[in-house]
Amino acid sequence: DAKTTQPNSMESNEEEPVHLPCNHSTISGTDYIHWYRQLPSQGPEYVIHGLTSNVNNRMASLAIAEDRKSSTLILHRATLRDAAVYYCILRDTSGSRLTFGEGTQLTVNP
Amino acid sequence: DTEVTQTPKHLVMGMTNKKSLKCEQHMGHRAMYWYKQKAKKPPELMFVYSYEKLSINESVPSRFSPECPNSSLLNLHLHALQPEDSALYLCASSPFPTNQPQHFGDGTRLSIL
């Protein structure tokens, strides 16, 4: 699986937008970009995924660069419950593996 | 609330004990997974079951023995574990064993004495 690079940690204030970056310069044409998050004392939780176009769902938005070498997970209004480790993962179309990197620890300040 | 249920939530066992971890899902998913997560590290894939058959074993030591009795149930049998096997063991499922979101349980926290 191609490698992703994320900042170790980020901070945000409650009710403000959060932009979590991910670099994946070796992404291949068949790799989807997946995001998961893991809240304290819980298993990982699927957030969103996309291939080329920007994606929105009830949890977040995913903005994908035109060359696909980077992406950004956007939380539109951070809440205290969004404090978690966020993982950006590349996954091949046919792949059953999820290979987690170190992720970004997001802290949300009240 | 998680749709993947893991039991027990906590387990303490000695190195000579035999125990099993259980994972259950009733979403009709045909792929199930075991992951191991050490403290402050990301989850690492151990096994993948696809349509009740083992499809991936990530070179896991034989003291870990997975079993998939039916499409809803996944077990992980433990025997002669080492202290370094202490970790959070996570189970996940997905509709099919390809590029589909995985649903995770909250894990079993295992401590080896």
Side-chain angles (χ1 to χ4, degrees), chain A:
Chain A
D1 291 327
K3 186 174 170 53
T4 63
T5 304
Q6 299 177 252
N8 288 336
S9 61
M10 290 185 66
E11 273 194 52
S12 173
N13 295 321
E14 202 175 6
E15 299 188 6
E16 291 184 357
V18 181
H19 291 234
L20 295 162
C22 181
N23 287 320
H24 29 78
S25 57
T26 59
I27 191 170
S28 74
T30 56
D31 284 337
Y32 280 74
I33 302 158
H34 286 245
W35 284 82
Y36 283 74
R37 70 181 186 181
Q38 188 170 19
L39 280 64
S41 302
Q42 294 187 23
E45 175 186 29
Y46 166 77
V47 178
I48 200 167
H49 77 284
L51 183 62
T52 56
S53 305
N54 294 346
V55 185
N56 300 296
N57 66 21
R58 63 174 180 82
M59 290 181 70
S61 296
L62 176 59
I64 301 172
E66 198 169 331
D67 63 5
R68 300 209 326 125
K69 293 185 185 300
S70 65
S71 61
T72 303
L73 180 71
I74 303 166
L75 308 179
H76 295 287
R77 284 179 78 239
T79 69
L80 296 178
R81 195 192 172 277
D82 291 321
V85 179
Y86 285 78
Y87 297 102
C88 170
I89 302 166
L90 299 184
R91 199 167 176 206
D92 184 79
T93 309
S94 60
S96 55
R97 285 180 173 84
L98 268 184
T99 303
F100 290 80
E102 295 296 323
T104 296
Q105 173 69 62
L106 175 66
T107 300
V108 180
N109 300 313

Side-chain angles (χ1 to χ4, degrees), chain B residues 44-93:
Chain B
E44 295 178 339
L45 183 67
M46 300 174 70
F47 302 104
V48 179
Y49 270 84
S50 172
Y51 299 93
E52 295 99 69
K53 293 192 187 312
L54 183 65
S55 61
I56 295 177
N57 175 342
E58 296 284 42
S59 303
V60 178
S62 61
R63 58 185 183 269
F64 295 91
S65 175
E67 179 197 19
C68 190
N70 59 58
S71 60
S72 300
L73 191 55
L74 186 66
N75 297 320
L76 186 62
H77 302 297
L78 314 172
H79 173 54
L81 294 194
Q82 304 298 308
E84 60 266 28
D85 296 323
S86 297
L88 181 68
Y89 288 85
L90 293 160
C91 174
S93 70

